[in-house]
Amino acid sequence: MAFFDKLSETLTNASKDVSQKAKDFSGVAKLTMDIHTKEDQLQKMYAQIGKLYFESHKDDETTDYEQMSQIKDTLVTIEDMKKELNELKGTKVCPRCGQEVKMADIYCKSCGAKLEDDEIIVDAVVKEAPAEETVSEGTINKETTEEVFED
């Protein structure tokens, strides 16, 4: 009988040890995750401070940081790439709301703003085009801007 009592006591102690190690492991995992979360928050705050600093000093003639000019160059490059992407997609960005619209649109479908660039482009095409121009099997009448097809 002493053998079974000793065996029972040993198993009880072993299960307590396993239980404690599991609690320790979950505590370590939770603390590790909490640390990473706080570090991510810290990185975002650093980035916000950096952006605020950049915005308030971007027009300064001299800066203490070389990265300021690199940021300016990168922003210009990104803007050029966005314009190229819009050209490939046949779209442009509404200056009022920032929504993407088709190149041919005169008004923004999102906010209703008149897209001035289109007006300039349309005026330039109309001024350069002759009074009548052959298009496929018909002609375009400049005065009424309607297409007239010949039978």
Side-chain angles (χ1 to χ4, degrees), residues 29-43:
K30 184 182 180 320
L31 279 174
T32 301
M33 186 184 313
D34 290 346
I35 290 169
H36 287 300
T37 301
K38 294 294 183 190
E39 287 174 342
D40 287 345
Q41 289 174 347
L42 186 62
Q43 289 300 318

Side-chain angles (χ1 to χ4, degrees), residues 24 26 33 35 38 46 61 70 76 90 101 107 109 114 129 143-144 146:
D24 291 347
S26 91
M33 186 184 313
I35 290 169
K38 294 294 183 190
Y46 282 146
E61 290 184 27
Q70 292 173 346
V76 168
V101 295
Y107 294 95
K109 292 179 181 175
K114 187 167 184 171
E143 281 71 36
T144 62
E146 64 183 29

Side-chain angles (χ1 to χ4, degrees), residues 29-148:
K30 184 182 180 320
L31 279 174
T32 301
M33 186 184 313
D34 290 346
I35 290 169
H36 287 300
T37 301
K38 294 294 183 190
E39 287 174 342
D40 287 345
Q41 289 174 347
L42 186 62
Q43 289 300 318
K44 288 177 183 176
M45 288 186 277
Y46 282 146
Q48 288 173 342
I49 290 171
K51 186 174 183 179
L52 290 171
Y53 181 86
F54 174 78
E55 290 298 323
S56 63
H57 296 283
K58 66 183 176 186
D59 296 326
D60 293 355
E61 290 184 27
T62 59
T63 63
D64 297 332
Y65 304 101
E66 178 183 319
Q67 291 86 349
M68 295 287 283
S69 62
Q70 292 173 346
I71 290 172
K72 288 178 188 178
D73 293 343
T74 303
L75 288 171
V76 168
T77 302
I78 289 171
E79 192 60 34
D80 290 343
M81 293 168 90
K82 284 181 179 180
K83 286 178 184 176
E84 185 177 347
L85 178 62
N86 284 337
E87 287 176 15
L88 290 173
K89 292 178 5 181
T91 60
K92 60 184 172 185
V93 176
C94 173
R96 181 187 287 172
C97 69
Q99 290 294 316
E100 200 172 90
V101 295
K102 294 178 184 174
M103 281 290 197
D105 289 349
I106 297 174
Y107 294 95
C108 176
K109 292 179 181 175
S110 181
C111 71
K114 187 167 184 171
L115 304 172
E116 298 297 328
D117 292 337
D118 262 354
E119 185 177 312
I120 295 167
I121 292 169
V122 170
D123 287 344
V125 171
V126 170
K127 287 177 185 173
E128 292 176 9
E132 286 193 3
E133 189 177 281
T134 304
V135 176
S136 60
E137 296 179 10
T139 59
I140 296 178
N141 186 333
K142 179 180 164 191
E143 281 71 36
T144 62
T145 63
E146 64 183 29
E147 198 169 329
V148 180

